[in-house]
Amino acid sequence: MLNNISIAYFIKNKRYILESKTYKNKNELIVIGEFFQILKDENIENVTLKNLREWDNKKLLPAYRITHGPIREKVRYYSREHIDIVREILRLKALGLEIPDIKKIIFDNIPECLIFLKRDIVKKEDLKSMMNIIENINKKETDLIITVIKNCKKYFCNNFSIDNLNDEYIKDIISQYKDSNLENDEDKNIIGFILILISACNCYDESNNIFDREKFSNYIDDIAGKY
């Protein structure tokens, strides 16, 4: 609920603010029924009043609440800024993301590419063994290169929108990671691991069968620099 506090949200890595009711011009507030009609007028489809109530209850689209009438019912109100959030919610839902992950993207500024990587990797039965290999990289470089890196590099490039797994891509995704607001320990561990893994992939020269330890160490320092 937006009555008491302002809330920061992110669209395409750009930060915006939903101001609290204290700082909001009451004439700019739009009752839920009228807001729903505005969405329809702007050809924003696949949204129902039930969706708006659910998204508010789950803090995905937090609304203002103003008490009305003799039974003191708290009515939901919205602002024009909410329209952009609705568009972003629908875009992310169309990609197959659920509410918990959409919240992380919009309110924690976690890049959606990391959400997809995390979601896919955690499904793999060999996640634990892969993490052990990364943690013991000095002792298991051969296993890392032969059993993980080559297959993972091919997998990432074939299954995600990664045209080139190169320095520019890695630096960009690490930069987005460092700008995100990670509060959940599980997210920190899984996403951090994903970044380590794709960094390792980029440090392996397949043509010469060489793993660049110094380059990988620099990536690790950059990733660890967030905390």
Side-chain angles (χ1 to χ4, degrees):
M1 187 167 63
L2 286 161
N3 286 19
N4 301 319
I5 60 171
S6 298
I7 297 175
Y9 66 97
F10 299 83
I11 296 179
K12 299 294 185 182
N13 205 39
K14 187 173 181 180
R15 187 174 186 268
Y16 301 90
I17 295 292
L18 278 172
E19 294 181 334
S20 71
K21 192 174 70 174
T22 304
Y23 300 102
K24 199 70 179 174
N25 185 333
K26 292 183 179 180
N27 294 327
E28 296 178 359
L29 298 181
I30 309 165
V31 72
I32 185 171
E34 294 177 3
F35 181 72
F36 178 63
Q37 185 59 50
I38 289 173
L39 296 179
K40 292 172 65 176
D41 292 343
E42 297 200 10
N43 296 317
I44 300 175
E45 302 177 348
N46 300 321
V47 180
T48 65
L49 285 170
K50 182 179 179 181
N51 290 146
L52 296 180
R53 297 187 184 101
E54 178 190 10
W55 294 346
D56 178 32
N57 291 336
K58 294 185 177 181
K59 300 180 181 180
L60 178 61
L61 188 73
Y64 301 94
R65 298 289 188 92
I66 300 178
T67 303
H68 280 279
I71 60 173
R72 313 300 291 171
E73 179 185 4
K74 288 187 176 180
V75 178
R76 291 176 173 86
Y77 280 79
Y78 297 85
S79 64
R80 296 292 305 184
E81 290 83 358
H82 282 90
I83 298 173
D84 292 330
I85 300 178
V86 170
R87 287 195 175 98
E88 183 68 355
I89 291 170
L90 293 175
R91 185 185 72 82
L92 295 170
K93 282 177 65 69
L95 296 176
L97 295 173
E98 302 293 337
I99 286 177
D101 285 332
I102 295 175
K103 285 175 64 176
K104 292 173 185 176
I105 294 169
I106 293 177
F107 296 107
D108 296 333
N109 196 29
I110 298 177
E112 61 194 71
C113 56
L114 292 184
I115 296 291
F116 280 113
L117 287 171
K118 173 195 169 184
R119 189 178 67 173
D120 197 77
I121 285 179
V122 295
K123 295 177 183 178
K124 305 301 179 183
E125 294 180 358
D126 60 348
L127 173 63
K128 185 175 180 180
S129 63
M130 291 169 68
M131 292 182 72
N132 287 336
I133 290 174
I134 294 295
E135 292 170 357
N136 296 285
I137 188 171
N138 289 328
K139 297 179 181 178
K140 298 189 176 182
E141 180 177 305
T142 300
D143 288 341
L144 177 69
I145 292 173
I146 296 174
T147 65
V148 179
I149 294 299
K150 292 172 70 174
N151 290 333
C152 285
K153 188 171 184 179
K154 181 179 179 181
Y155 178 79
F156 283 133
C157 292
N158 288 345
N159 290 276
F160 301 101
S161 298
I162 303 175
D163 295 328
N164 292 297
L165 191 58
N166 53 31
D167 288 345
E168 184 178 356
Y169 174 79
I170 300 295
K171 289 178 180 178
D172 180 64
I173 200 171
I174 290 176
S175 176
Q176 292 184 57
Y177 162 74
K178 293 171 76 173
D179 287 340
S180 64
N181 302 317
L182 292 167
E183 298 181 356
N184 182 284
D185 286 339
E186 180 184 359
D187 289 335
K188 292 178 185 177
N189 294 335
I190 296 296
I191 292 175
F193 165 67
I194 292 168
L195 289 173
I196 291 171
L197 185 58
I198 61 176
S199 296
C201 290
N202 192 48
C203 292
Y204 173 57
D205 181 351
E206 190 170 6
S207 60
N208 295 307
N209 200 35
I210 295 174
F211 183 76
D212 191 333
R213 289 172 175 269
E214 183 177 355
K215 184 177 180 180
F216 182 67
S217 178
N218 290 334
Y219 278 137
I220 296 299
D221 288 344
D222 198 13
I223 294 168
K226 177 177 175 63
Y227 298 104

